[in-house]
Amino acid sequence: MPRQISIAVVLLFSGVLLLLQGCATPGRLSAVPVKETTRATIPDIPNARFWVDSDLEPMIRETHAAIEREQASWGDLGHHGALPPAYFLAVSGGGDDGAFGAGLLVGWTKAGDRPQFKLVTGVSTGALIAPFAFLGPEYDDVLRAVYTNVAPKDIATPRGWLSALTDDAIADNQPLLVLIGQYVNEAFLARIAEEYQKGRLLLIGTTNLDARRPVVWNMGAIAVAAKDHPKALELFRKIMLASAAIPGAFPPTMIDVEVDGQPYQEMHVDGGATRQLFLYPARLSDAAQHDHLRVFAQRPRTAYIIRNARLDPEWSSVERSALTIVGRAISSLIQTQGVGDLDRLYLVAQKDGLDFNLAYIGADFNAEHQEDFDTAYMRALFDYGYRLGSKGYPWQKTPPGLTAGATP
């Protein structure tokens, strides 16, 4: 996700757009009718996603199935009895600040105690990191390459300001899709599917803009479907792209769906439009009356949260101009939303007995940032995260402003 001035520009133009709705804009298939929102399915790819703000039964079933797959895999390795401790990883949004999370993970490998994660989730830039973090250290070179070598031209191509009136974004993120395609191919999905079959889960969040609701995508199930359905690879890439697509700055990603055989399209944008990071719905643990979930809840569980942002207030003398004021306000709003998401995750961890661990960009990092996806800045931030990770990151046990043992 680019720096928040991009959002400020979009917001400034939004009033003009409302006055010029008669202008020609890109077409689309009909949106899913509101009453059919949660009934829309991805053709030929079952179990592809979850509506985590409503019916949790599909996710509960997936959790059951994942535990059964893990138990079978554990037995195939000659083990008996209780499953091993489970490790969770959540990677947040943050645009080019994702270089911090990428560097931290690679440094963590160097430290020698990076675990294999049972669950990995990602939003926005975290959605670009999550699949590689899911597959482990063998993809550290990819994380290093993506977050130290890219430049603005590798992410998007400017369209010009007139596109704010006649198109769906002021920049084209086709270069980012090409970059994703360099690494996310058939062999990559086969590796994701292999780990999914062992009971591990990879989840990516987007925002359904039509419904204004969060959607959690079951990327492992999509990878499994790729064996028989070529469009699954395209969908996997599009979800990664959508999760990092700031509305107005980058085009939305249109997802083809069906309801009772009738085709529709959903408009998906940056997962950060609804939340900066997530692990699982807070209500999921309330389903512990299910035998499988009781077994899952009895094992030691550790959650690692990487917030690709600073959490301390950043002072700045604000110029009296519309763009500067709106940009500063939106940046403050997103930072506050991110802090709120961390507080929510911490309270869920306390309720469910998870060991909570948080990493974020410290106030000691002050490299100059000249533009979105500034290569020099990203290299400095990657190196910063790498140094911290390789020395054994001092994970914070509570979010800033909360005290240990706080309860909902």
Side-chain angles (χ1 to χ4, degrees):
M1 173 166 74
R3 310 302 271 194
Q4 302 317 319
I5 189 64
S6 300
I7 300 181
V9 173
V10 172
L11 290 180
L12 187 63
F13 274 95
S14 63
V16 179
L17 291 173
L18 290 174
L19 297 175
L20 298 175
Q21 290 190 14
C23 295
T25 56
R28 58 170 294 183
L29 294 182
S30 297
V32 178
V34 60
K35 293 183 179 180
E36 308 295 344
T37 296
T38 59
R39 294 187 60 239
T41 60
I42 308 300
D44 301 319
I45 306 179
N47 200 32
R49 63 185 183 173
F50 309 108
W51 297 93
V52 294
D53 60 347
S54 56
D55 181 14
L56 287 184
E57 275 303 313
M59 181 168 271
I60 291 171
R61 290 195 298 269
E62 176 60 36
T63 304
H64 287 178
I67 294 171
E68 289 176 348
R69 295 193 301 270
E70 186 181 13
Q71 288 173 325
S73 178
W74 188 241
D76 291 342
L77 294 173
H79 300 293
H80 304 283
L83 291 171
Y87 300 93
F88 304 156
L89 174 67
V91 190
S92 83
D96 50 12
D97 280 343
F100 168 73
L104 180 64
L105 286 165
V106 177
W108 198 353
T109 299
K110 178 69 173 179
D113 59 350
R114 175 178 162 184
Q116 182 183 78
F117 299 105
K118 161 73 176 177
L119 167 68
V120 177
T121 72
V123 172
S124 196
T125 194
L128 304 179
I129 294 172
F132 304 104
F134 180 77
L135 291 182
E138 64 183 285
Y139 284 89
D140 281 359
D141 288 346
V142 175
L143 288 177
R144 183 185 294 274
V146 170
Y147 282 92
T148 63
N149 292 333
V150 300
K153 65 179 179 59
D154 301 310
I155 303 301
T157 303
R159 288 175 169 171
W161 294 116
L162 185 59
S163 62
L165 306 178
T166 62
D167 216 326
D168 56 2
I170 60 176
D172 184 354
N173 58 357
Q174 181 66 22
L176 178 56
L177 182 60
V178 171
L179 181 64
I180 292 171
Q182 290 179 13
Y183 301 103
V184 179
N185 52 29
E186 291 85 354
F188 185 83
L189 259 63
R191 288 284 293 111
I192 297 285
E194 179 183 349
E195 297 304 313
Y196 174 80
Q197 298 290 19
K198 297 176 183 177
R200 300 177 61 215
L201 295 174
L202 170 63
L203 307 177
I204 286 178
T206 66
T207 298
N208 182 321
L209 201 58
D210 295 316
R212 202 161 66 177
R213 295 172 64 173
V215 177
V216 170
W217 294 89
N218 191 4
M219 305 301 281
I222 296 171
V224 169
K227 181 179 179 181
D228 300 313
H229 302 288
K231 288 188 177 181
L233 174 59
E234 178 187 3
L235 177 64
F236 197 105
R237 292 169 173 168
K238 289 175 72 173
I239 292 166
M240 292 179 65
L241 185 72
S243 188
I246 291 180
F250 292 160
T253 298
M254 307 306 298
I255 304 292
D256 293 328
V257 298
E258 290 182 356
V259 178
D260 297 330
Q262 178 70 30
Y264 296 97
Q265 275 188 330
E266 295 174 346
M267 181 179 289
H268 285 259
V269 298
D270 196 326
T274 45
R275 57 199 162 174
Q276 291 295 309
L277 72 168
F278 71 99
L279 271 177
Y280 55 81
R283 294 182 293 120
L284 188 66
S285 60
D286 297 334
Q289 67 269 19
H290 296 271
D291 290 341
H292 279 82
L293 294 186
R294 269 202 300 271
V295 171
F296 181 69
Q298 289 169 356
R299 68 203 293 195
R301 291 158 296 154
T302 302
Y304 292 99
I305 315 299
I306 298 178
R307 178 67 177 114
N308 291 305
R310 291 176 55 156
L311 300 184
D312 60 308
E314 293 184 82
W315 185 92
S316 176
S317 178
V318 180
E319 179 185 347
R320 290 190 64 176
S321 70
L323 285 180
T324 304
I325 293 170
V326 173
R328 181 70 170 173
I330 293 298
S331 177
S332 299
L333 178 63
I334 289 176
Q335 183 187 40
T336 302
Q337 177 196 2
V339 171
D341 289 338
L342 290 176
D343 291 348
R344 173 177 51 80
L345 288 188
Y346 176 73
L347 296 178
V348 170
Q350 289 288 294
K351 179 171 72 75
D352 293 351
L354 277 66
D355 179 13
F356 179 92
N357 299 269
L358 170 64
Y360 53 89
I361 302 172
D364 57 330
F365 180 76
N366 293 302
E368 184 178 1
H369 189 278
Q370 297 187 352
E371 62 178 339
D372 296 341
F373 300 100
D374 178 342
T375 305
Y377 172 85
M378 293 174 68
R379 287 177 178 171
L381 185 53
F382 182 96
D383 290 343
Y384 170 80
Y386 178 85
R387 288 194 302 272
L388 290 173
S390 62
K391 295 177 181 178
Y393 187 83
W395 296 91
Q396 304 300 300
K397 305 307 290 186
T398 62
L402 286 184
T403 57
T407 55

